Amino acid sequence: MRLDEILPDRLREGLTPAERRLLARVADGEEADFSAPDEGQNDPTQGAAWGPERTIRAAFLHWLCTDAQAATCVPPKGIRIRGARIEGPLDFEGATLLHRLSLIRCAIPEGILLTDARARRIDLSGSYIRGLHADGLAVEGDLVLSGARLENPNGDALSADGMTVEGSVFLDQGFHATGAVQLPGARIQGALVCTEARFENPNGIALNLEHARLGEIMDDEGSWPQRGRLRIDGLEYEGFAGDRTPKDARRRLEWLRRQLPDFRPQPYDQLPGSSAGWAGRRMPWRC
């Protein structure tokens, strides 16, 4: 049984050249790479100019990721796409993605909806996404947004309230969010990696980690939001990791000062080496 043989009639009509190529590459266990030879034509923020040879309909991709019969034709490496434009909103709300999904340096101008979805591993590295909504998402492996560009300046660039990730979450290597990154109540068993990241929101909070539970935090000073743009009250984590991550008291206190101006004692108590109930008294670290 082949993917092109079981493709529904509603999707067979209007099949793009990119979709035909994708079916063949997935069946062979290979990445479908639609990148242009000229690297200057591969900027996902300019994906509106990409033609049908690089266009995949959102409904087509949804079928490929969630249809049980199609899943039997997809090798364990999963669905791997590079340099394509996704046409239409990519709506996986409440769905189960049956294989790993990688959308590398893709243009997704109408956003992704993953609310209450289930997935094995999702990699959106280097992609341009006009809003990623993932409240209640459950991921068995990693959620990778390395180098991704998320935009929603009048709302949430990334909304992942109560998300559960058994691996790590990567917001690094040039990750750039314009709009709020909301992770309140998230559960991340591995690390939250935010090195070489930018969190910007001209209209309010840039990064919200309230009441999240993390394994480790990996970040750098350049990735910290501006003062008054960070929320971490109730955040729990095991510690800081990575060679570039500040671990001394002076710099971590500066991180805490990026919060809203109203004083909350819990983030100070949570710092490694602090005394429970410190709440503004002398820090028991050497600076």
Side-chain angles (χ1 to χ4, degrees), residues 16 41 71 99 104 107 133 146 153 160 175-176 180 186 244 248 258 272 276:
T16 70
Q41 297 179 22
H99 288 278
I104 309 299
H133 302 281
S146 302
F175 172 86
H176 186 185
R244 300 181 57 182
D248 59 278
R258 304 296 175 98

Side-chain angles (χ1 to χ4, degrees), residues 162-167 183-189 210-214:
M163 174 180 70
T164 301
V165 178
E166 295 181 22
L183 299 172
R187 300 292 183 264
I188 302 171
Q189 293 186 19
E210 288 187 324
H211 303 288
R213 292 182 182 177
L214 316 176

Side-chain angles (χ1 to χ4, degrees), residues 86-115:
I86 308 303
E87 183 179 73
L90 194 51
D91 186 351
F92 290 116
E93 181 171 5
T96 297
L97 283 68
L98 300 173
H99 288 278
R100 299 177 178 182
L101 175 63
S102 297
L103 298 173
I104 309 299
R105 299 194 70 185
C106 289
I108 312 172
E110 297 185 58
I112 305 177
L113 188 62
L114 285 163
T115 303

